[in-house]
Amino acid sequence: MDEKIKPTKIIDARGSFCPGPLMELIKAYKAAKLNDIISVYSTDSGTKRDASAWIKKSNNELIGVFEHEGYYEIVMKKTKGEK
Amino acid sequence: MNDKMSIIAFSGTEDKLMAAAIIASGAVANDLEVQVFVTFWGLTRTIKNGKTTPDLSFDGQKMKDKVFALMKQKNVPNWITMLKNAKEVGNIKVYGCAMFADLLEVKKEDLDPIVDDIIGVNEFVSLSKESMTFFI
């Protein structure tokens, strides 16, 4: 990931199964402030798609999905307030 | 925020209850209001000290030992824990079936705290109007 992007919050959901990492991400999103950057680590490959889709559908910004050794990192920016 | 999902959790096997809990999780992730109606064997799995051992449905019997061993090894949460986590994310209500609770002579306090209330079929169906409904 770009060194300039510093997550406000990192969720380490490695070892957690679908839908665990997505649920953790949504919880963090609800607690976050506008423009916060949230990063989630996941070993569950379904989360890569699921979390990316959720971020786009909820009108937030998907900064990227990064593959590290043995896990994925999904990074989002909260650009949409709560309804 | 008026979209709703209703799940009738009739079966009491771990696989089907997990499927119900996972679908409910996906629903709250999509801002749906969810209500889960646990009845018959689903209800028995919410009874505290109910001495019901998790089992798999008929299709899974041959793989049962392997699946439970893998679930344990990989720390897969059980369906009640999954529902608890989903409750922290969105609006999920779990209702026990009044008819089966009466038959077994169990009250709300005999059930796991995941169950919000015991209601009858009439109330559940009236709450399910205009929702997508699954029977599992």
Side-chain angles (χ1 to χ4, degrees):
Chain A
M1 173 166 71
D2 190 331
E3 291 298 315
K4 282 173 282 186
I5 302 168
K6 278 244 164 61
T8 324
K9 183 162 176 67
I10 294 172
I11 304 148
D12 190 348
R14 285 177 289 185
S16 175
F17 276 80
C18 169
L22 177 62
M23 295 291 114
E24 293 293 318
L25 176 68
I26 299 175
K27 262 192 265 178
Y29 159 79
K30 293 199 167 182
K33 292 194 281 289
L34 211 61
N35 297 319
D36 275 2
I37 291 169
I38 307 163
S39 165
V40 57
Y41 298 167
S42 174
T43 42
D44 173 75
S45 60
T47 297
K48 187 171 61 164
R49 277 184 82 111
D50 246 18
S52 307
W54 181 84
I55 293 163
K56 287 182 207 157
K57 201 188 153 216
S58 59
N59 291 317
N60 288 284
E61 185 188 334
L62 175 66
I63 293 175
V65 179
F66 307 94
E67 205 168 335
H68 300 291
E69 203 162 320
Y71 68 97
Y72 299 100
E73 179 179 12
I74 301 121
V75 188
M76 69 165 281
K77 185 175 181 179
K78 178 166 177 170
T79 51
K80 176 90 168 56
E82 289 248 36
K83 277 162 275 181
Chain B
M1 277 290 279
N2 291 323
D3 289 341
K4 281 200 220 165
M5 181 186 282
S6 303
I7 298 170
I8 299 155
F10 177 94
S11 299
T13 52
E14 194 65 23
D15 47 356
K16 292 193 179 180
L17 288 167
M18 268 179 73
I22 293 170
I23 293 167
S25 304
V28 288
N30 283 281
D31 276 341
L32 268 64
E33 277 179 38
V34 182
Q35 51 204 9
V36 182
F37 190 63
V38 285
T39 183
F40 283 82
W41 323 119
L43 181 82
T44 62
R45 294 290 309 285
T46 69
I47 300 172
K48 284 188 240 171
N49 314 314
K51 291 190 179 127
T52 49
T53 339
D55 201 350
L56 290 187
S57 50
F58 180 76
D59 321 26
Q61 286 301 316
K62 279 185 182 162
M63 284 185 72
K64 192 163 100 175
D65 294 344
K66 186 183 172 188
V67 167
F68 279 122
L70 283 170
M71 276 168 34
K72 199 176 172 193
Q73 182 197 326
K74 299 188 177 186
N75 289 317
V76 176
N78 69 23
W79 68 282
I80 288 187
T81 308
M82 275 187 198
L83 273 185
K84 269 186 202 148
N85 292 337
K87 270 189 171 183
E88 288 176 38
V89 164
N91 188 5
I92 298 192
K93 288 274 186 282
V94 180
Y95 298 115
C97 162
M99 179 282 289
F100 208 61
D102 278 350
L103 185 71
L104 299 178
E105 296 177 9
V106 293
K107 304 235 175 314
K108 184 176 176 293
E109 54 270 25
D110 302 317
L111 306 179
D112 186 281
I114 195 82
V115 179
D116 295 287
D117 207 352
I118 293 182
I119 66 173
V121 67
N122 171 62
E123 194 174 342
F124 181 75
V125 171
S126 74
L127 289 170
S128 306
K129 274 183 191 163
E130 292 168 23
S131 82
M132 54 175 119
T133 303
F134 295 91
F135 183 93
I136 302 176

